[in-house]
């Protein structure tokens, strides 16, 4: 009887140990999955913001356009250039994406170094992720507003549209805005992932 009781008790202890090990393995796998997703999103965000900054940073186009001085004489044809640094919104856009790209590289290194999961460092990265999301959406919104003015103009203030003349320049601006928006979504997903991870830890 004693041997049977010992066997049952040992079996119960072994079963509990096995269950505990299974739970530890599952938790470790979940943490590994979240960590992998975090690294992938940071690499994607780095690449997209870098591309967006470069695409708009090298954007320029020169066209020869007619300039009418007096209606009674023929127009004068002059070379006119469109460059990204002529508009403060585009400058802000390039700077915002350059800052986000630099931060993504630094945060990637910090995330790889933070294997122990230090709470202070993790919280700092989450807060900075939020700041970068706000910065990118602000830059993208400003560039989009100016881009729409270039496409449609504004008859109320007598601003003529220019994208019918500088079509290549405007197409490149649109491409940079789309890429930057995708980069913003990558950083936004990082914030959502961190929030879900914190919610699971509290359960």
């Amino acid at each position: 009887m004693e041997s049977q009781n010992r066997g049952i008790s040992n079996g119960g202890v072994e079963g509990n140990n096995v269950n505990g090990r299974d739970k530890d393995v599952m938790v470790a796998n979940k943490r590994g999955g979240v960590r992998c997703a975090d690294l992938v999103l940071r690499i994607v965000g780095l690449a997209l913001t870098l591309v967006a900054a470069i695409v708009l940073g090298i954007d320029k186009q020169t066209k020869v356009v007619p300039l009418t001085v007096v209606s009674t004489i023929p127009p004068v044809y002059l070379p006119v250039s469109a460059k990204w640094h002529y508009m403060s919104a585009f400058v802000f856009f390039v700077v915002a994406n350059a800052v986000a790209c630099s931060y993504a590289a630094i945060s990637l290194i910090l995330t790889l170094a933070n294997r122990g999961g230090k709470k202070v460092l993790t919280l700092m990265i989450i807060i900075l992720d939020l700041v970068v999301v706000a910065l990118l959406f602000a830059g993208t919104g400003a560039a989009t507003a100016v881009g729409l003015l270039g496409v449609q103009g504004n008859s109320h203030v007598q601003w003529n549209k220019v994208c019918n003349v500088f079509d290549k320049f405007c197409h490149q601006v649109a491409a940079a805005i789309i890429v930057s928006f995708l980069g913003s979504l990558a950083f936004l997903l990082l914030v959502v992932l961190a929030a879900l991870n914190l919610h699971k830890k509290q359960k």
Side-chain angles (χ1 to χ4, degrees):
M1 290 293 291
E2 290 181 1
S3 61
Q4 288 179 354
N5 290 333
R6 287 175 184 175
I8 292 171
S9 61
N10 289 335
V13 172
E14 289 176 0
N16 291 333
N17 289 336
V18 171
N19 291 333
R21 289 171 186 171
D22 290 341
K23 288 181 180 178
D24 290 340
V25 170
M26 288 176 66
V27 170
N29 289 336
K30 286 181 180 179
R31 287 179 180 174
V34 170
R35 183 181 176 81
C36 183
D38 185 272
L39 293 175
V40 169
L41 285 172
R42 291 188 188 281
I43 293 171
V44 170
L46 187 153
L48 290 173
T49 50
L50 176 62
V51 170
I54 292 173
V55 168
L56 190 56
I58 62 173
D59 193 10
K60 62 180 180 178
Q61 186 180 9
T62 302
K63 279 286 190 79
V64 178
V65 298
L67 178 63
T68 303
V69 181
V70 182
S71 60
T72 56
I73 62 174
V76 179
Y77 288 87
L78 296 173
V80 180
S81 297
K83 296 181 181 179
W84 66 275
H85 56 82
Y86 290 168
M87 296 295 297
S88 57
F90 292 158
V91 174
F92 176 54
F93 177 91
V94 172
V95 171
N97 279 273
V99 169
C101 178
S102 302
Y103 166 73
I106 295 171
S107 66
L108 189 62
I109 296 171
L110 291 175
T111 303
L112 289 171
N114 189 29
R115 292 183 178 180
K118 295 179 181 178
K119 290 183 179 180
V120 176
L121 185 57
T122 302
L123 183 61
M124 183 185 73
I125 291 174
I126 293 171
I127 293 171
L128 290 175
D129 285 345
L130 277 169
V131 173
V132 169
V133 169
L135 182 66
L136 284 175
F137 275 116
T140 304
T144 303
V146 173
L148 287 174
L149 281 176
V151 173
Q152 299 176 354
N154 191 323
S155 59
H156 299 289
V157 292
Q158 300 301 314
W159 289 348
N160 296 325
K161 58 184 179 180
V162 296
C163 285
N164 56 332
V165 178
F166 300 102
D167 52 346
K168 176 182 170 292
F169 179 84
C170 289
H171 291 157
Q172 207 159 321
V173 169
I177 289 172
I178 291 170
V179 173
S180 179
F181 179 72
L182 294 175
S184 305
L185 291 180
F187 281 100
L188 181 61
L189 287 174
L190 280 171
V191 175
V192 172
L193 189 67
L196 290 174
N197 193 29
L198 288 173
H199 180 68
K200 287 179 181 178
K201 284 182 179 180
Q202 288 178 355
K203 287 185 176 181

